[in-house]
Amino acid sequence: MWALRAAVRPGAWLSRVVRGRGAPRAAPPLPACPHRALAAFGPGDLKGRGGGGRGPRADGPRSRTGEEEEEPEDAEEEEEELLRRDPLLPVGTQRVCLIHPEVKRVPGKPQLTRAEWQVAEAEALVHTLDGWSVADRMVVPTKTPDGKLIFGRGTLEHLAEKIRGSPEITAVFLNVERLATPTKKDLEATWGVQVFDRFTVVLHIFRCNARTREARLQVALAELPLLRSHLKSSIARPDGRGGGSRYIMGSGESFMQVQQRLLKEKEIKIRKALERLRKKRRLLGKQRRRQEFPVISVVGYTNCGKTTLIKALTGDDAVQPRDQLFATLDVTAHAGWLPSRMAVIYMDTIGFLSELPHSLIESFSATLEDVAHSDLIVHVRDVSHPETELQKASVLSTLHGLHLPAPLLDSVLEVHNKVDLVPGYSPAGPQAVTVSALLGHGLPELKTRLEDAVLRATGRQVLTLRVRLAGTQLSWLHREATVQEVDVIPEAGVADVRVVISSSAYGKFRKLFPE
């Protein structure tokens, strides 16, 4: 389940477009996506046009804000050093035997995803890895899922015979959350090939897909429990002393203690580096909120079509969706317009997944911090998936675990995607919007629903105001609101102006220009 960031420089191009500068009568056609707005997003935290890297500073010279801490000059070199580590999985072609332990349902406990769909999801994880394929797949019943070797002796011997008798199998993917290192080594000795669990495979995929500094550091943080587990296993001695009798250069520390201390120091450095980046992101978020650009966070189960939907809503051809799990790991921002010509920021978040290890969840929960500061959450569902209801429950459970504001949770807009794959589909309730992001079906209705929801969430309203042409009222509205239409009445020297305006801006307008 999970999860995986905007500020706009005062006077930037998008600010002028958002506030309605243009021909007084007819709104000019808008370009597909206001890319220049994304140039004001912070260094390495956000990506526009589907790419990564750094953009210009949103706040100008450092001295202008007075809020951002000075970053150590060697911070980037230190972070790169922290990110240097051995590969988690072997490089090259691998033919995997996928084994899914099926535990008999315990009365009174909820039904989990059916075994065949858990296998299908695990297979999709394998296919995400370059050069990896599934040579065989097996659903194996077990009564001892918490036992040392997971399976009983007879089952274990049967599996060993089958795996050793299949020379095309080069590895085993055991579809369990996490294998203890001793269990992993015993299974590898029994089966004669390397064995990988769900945690290692997903962590490797995260590492491959991480692009920004923050995402890469969070992968490194999530990997530390694995390194500690390997350390304990590799140094353990039959006498149980863990190598404690060997001391390093008279320091009084054993080799085990030195390695544990180094891992602890590495964890502290990673957390400090992450905190520096989060402070920058919070500052950018404050600046974005001062500019009052509404933010729509798009969430959903992995591979549900979030990125495809954002591409359809923004018209940004540079956004390149991929049909694989965790294609989006870094949270990215994309600017677009609603029907009223109000500019919004769409946040594309990391896809959720069921049964991820808690250490991975905790490490990545911070990437969803911006969801809490968004004005609207859009939950995209793949209604063509056989387990779409369980996926929905997974996503909602994660959102509630983030302790989001109640009004934000209550206003989640549910979008049922991929309806083109389900002929005759009709949602159970009237609140959901049905679309096909790939084919463009249902997008006009979705944009209308998005606009209504954003107006409610941000306290904006659509008003028609009569202003005098001789004064500064019209230019003020162009600066502080979104001007949709101007109907000039020359003989009266006035104009009726249709605007989208926030409650605070409307209060200022009435104070400055009393009737």
Side-chain angles (χ1 to χ4, degrees), residues 20-214:
R21 298 194 178 191
R25 287 184 177 275
L30 298 174
C33 184
H35 296 128
R36 288 180 60 186
L38 301 179
F41 292 29
D45 290 320
L46 294 167
K47 299 187 289 184
R49 301 179 62 88
R54 298 168 179 268
R57 289 182 55 84
D59 54 344
R62 189 184 303 273
S63 60
R64 290 180 60 185
T65 67
E67 299 180 53
E68 185 175 347
E69 290 185 0
E70 191 77 29
E71 182 174 338
E73 293 182 2
D74 60 345
E76 284 195 50
E77 288 83 354
E78 181 182 81
E79 289 169 15
E80 287 301 320
E81 184 66 31
L82 292 171
L83 294 172
R84 290 175 188 163
R85 51 206 189 273
D86 296 331
L88 290 168
L89 298 177
V91 180
T93 302
Q94 294 290 328
R95 298 276 291 165
V96 176
C97 176
L98 173 57
I99 300 177
H100 175 73
E102 183 179 29
V103 184
K104 187 177 180 181
R105 182 183 177 186
V106 178
K109 288 195 174 182
Q111 176 69 50
L112 298 176
T113 308
R114 290 195 301 271
E116 58 265 33
W117 300 117
Q118 288 180 315
V119 170
E121 189 170 87
E123 190 168 350
L125 286 172
V126 173
H127 289 156
T128 302
L129 304 171
D130 289 338
W132 287 50
S133 60
V134 177
D136 194 7
R137 59 194 61 74
M138 291 181 277
V139 176
V140 184
T142 178
K143 296 180 181 178
T144 57
D146 299 323
K148 181 180 179 182
L149 296 179
I150 301 175
F151 304 104
R153 183 180 299 275
T155 302
L156 202 62
E157 291 176 354
H158 172 73
L159 290 172
E161 182 180 345
K162 187 165 185 178
I163 293 169
R164 287 181 176 274
S166 303
E168 71 275 12
I169 294 176
T170 61
V172 168
F173 176 19
L174 192 56
N175 194 29
V176 297
E177 180 178 300
R178 182 83 174 270
L179 285 172
T181 303
T183 299
K184 181 179 185 296
K185 290 189 173 183
D186 287 345
L187 290 175
E188 288 177 340
T190 303
W191 292 340
V193 294
Q194 288 184 286
V195 179
F196 304 104
D197 56 22
R198 195 176 175 91
F199 176 81
T200 306
V201 171
V202 172
L203 188 59
H204 179 83
I205 294 171
F206 279 3
R207 186 196 280 186
C208 292
N209 287 351
R211 295 293 179 268
T212 64
R213 292 161 63 190
E214 184 170 13

